[in-house]
Amino acid sequence: MVKFFRKSISISDFWVGNHERLSDFYLTSWQPGDSVVPMLIVRVLLACVATGIFVWSLTSGVSSYWLIYLTNWGLLLVTSMTLSGLLISILGVCHKLKDGSDLPWYISMYWFLYNICIAIAIMITGLYWILLYNPDDQSVESPEVFWLDVATHGLNSCVVFAEVILSRTPLMLLHIYQPLGLGLWYAAFTGIYYAAGGTDSFGNPFIYAVLDWRQPLRAGIIVAASAASLIIVYTSLWVLTLCRDKISTALVRTTSLNLPFTPPDQHVPIGIV
């Protein structure tokens, strides 16, 4: 569920350690009842797709430079998110997860990865196709390389978007610092990497040409614009999550399951309504 307005905000709200309903992490938004199976099936498919792309990227020429690229950070994060979500669904099938004030560590881990991945994956897709993609490169690239680019810079966003739309995973504006922090950390990493004399796999003194710290003003503008775009993306996803919950609750979900049982009034004669 989405937190909209609250009378008070505690320090714990800034972390992913508590939530009132564990079922929000293993049920779909688009189901009546409380069966764990629908979301389990969804997460099996998403985990297979994400893991397949990750393995494809590794087997297509992994090198010592693999981890310097934001795209590959995204692959690691999305794969970890889908696998941790699958773990929650499997545990939900094996035994009933009870609601409580504190979340189990594996749910907190999934929620943290979810908050980061849904915005970062979409940002990676946007930055690649807007700033980095060059149609002229297709003449020298093999079809396998092209389709790998499509998978790593397109299907990754499809995976996280499906998780957002189909799950009930909560999204809070207070958690916007998590993807923003990762994005700023990567920007800092590229600067440190350049200052330390690091190069890309072709020997260039940068990881991405658009983020060349030999031109600090230009690089700073790119970082600032990317940070602003990430905030917009995360906020848009928050609004989308709000709409998802409102629509699915009104049309699909069995809200009566959340109501407490009320015993019959002993003072009312049987047969009288």
Side-chain angles (χ1 to χ4, degrees):
M1 301 295 289
V2 178
K3 299 298 182 185
F4 206 9
F5 296 109
R6 301 184 65 173
K7 294 181 179 179
S8 62
I9 297 175
S10 64
I11 296 298
S12 62
D13 291 329
F14 285 90
W15 188 235
V16 289
N18 58 78
H19 186 67
E20 61 267 21
R21 281 190 298 275
L22 266 66
S23 60
D24 285 344
F25 295 96
Y26 60 80
L27 298 181
T28 70
S29 284
W30 309 100
Q31 68 173 85
D34 57 354
S35 173
V36 185
V37 175
M39 197 62 208
L40 173 63
I41 295 173
V42 169
R43 282 178 169 160
V44 167
L45 295 175
L46 295 181
C48 287
V49 172
T51 304
I53 296 173
F54 177 71
V55 172
W56 185 10
S57 176
L58 287 178
T59 57
S60 293
V62 65
S63 69
S64 57
Y65 295 96
W66 193 86
L67 274 176
I68 70 173
Y69 295 102
L70 182 61
T71 295
N72 297 331
W73 286 29
L75 288 179
L76 277 171
L77 289 169
V78 171
T79 303
S80 299
M81 182 203 73
T82 56
L83 292 177
S84 61
L86 179 59
L87 173 64
I88 294 172
S89 294
I90 291 174
L91 292 176
V93 170
C94 295
H95 63 275
K96 182 68 174 179
L97 300 178
K98 297 181 180 180
D99 292 338
S101 57
D102 296 327
L103 295 177
W105 66 267
Y106 50 87
I107 293 183
S108 293
M109 177 182 68
Y110 160 77
W111 196 7
F112 178 68
L113 290 171
Y114 176 89
N115 290 338
I116 292 175
C117 286
I118 59 173
I120 291 295
I122 293 174
M123 283 296 300
I124 288 173
T125 297
L127 290 173
Y128 176 78
W129 294 106
I130 294 173
L131 298 179
L132 300 177
Y133 176 69
N134 184 359
D136 295 335
D137 291 340
Q138 292 188 41
S139 59
V140 296
E141 287 183 350
S142 66
E144 180 183 358
V145 172
F146 171 75
W147 288 112
L148 179 60
D149 283 342
V150 171
T152 55
H153 302 102
L155 286 181
N156 59 334
S157 292
C158 294
V159 168
V160 299
F161 190 76
E163 182 79 11
V164 171
I165 292 296
L166 298 176
S167 73
R168 293 188 189 180
T169 305
L171 189 64
M172 299 175 63
L173 280 179
L174 290 176
H175 293 162
I176 195 172
Y177 72 91
Q178 294 169 7
L180 185 60
L182 180 72
L184 293 176
W185 163 242
Y186 182 79
F189 164 74
T190 62
I192 296 170
Y193 188 77
Y194 162 73
T199 65
D200 67 0
S201 56
F202 300 102
N204 298 309
F206 49 74
I207 299 176
Y208 295 106
V210 296
L211 200 58
D212 186 351
W213 287 101
R214 292 176 300 178
Q215 304 176 51
L217 178 60
R218 176 189 172 188
I221 292 174
I222 292 293
V223 170
S226 298
S229 299
L230 190 147
I231 292 173
I232 293 172
V233 168
Y234 188 93
T235 304
S236 300
L237 289 168
W238 175 75
V239 173
L240 177 64
T241 304
L242 177 63
C243 295
R244 177 201 70 188
D245 289 342
K246 293 293 185 182
I247 295 172
S248 63
T249 299
L251 300 180
V252 181
R253 297 189 197 179
T254 309
T255 55
S256 60
L257 293 177
N258 297 325
L259 299 177
F261 172 73
T262 303
D265 190 344
Q266 300 296 328
H267 300 288
V268 178
I270 298 176
I272 298 179
V273 179

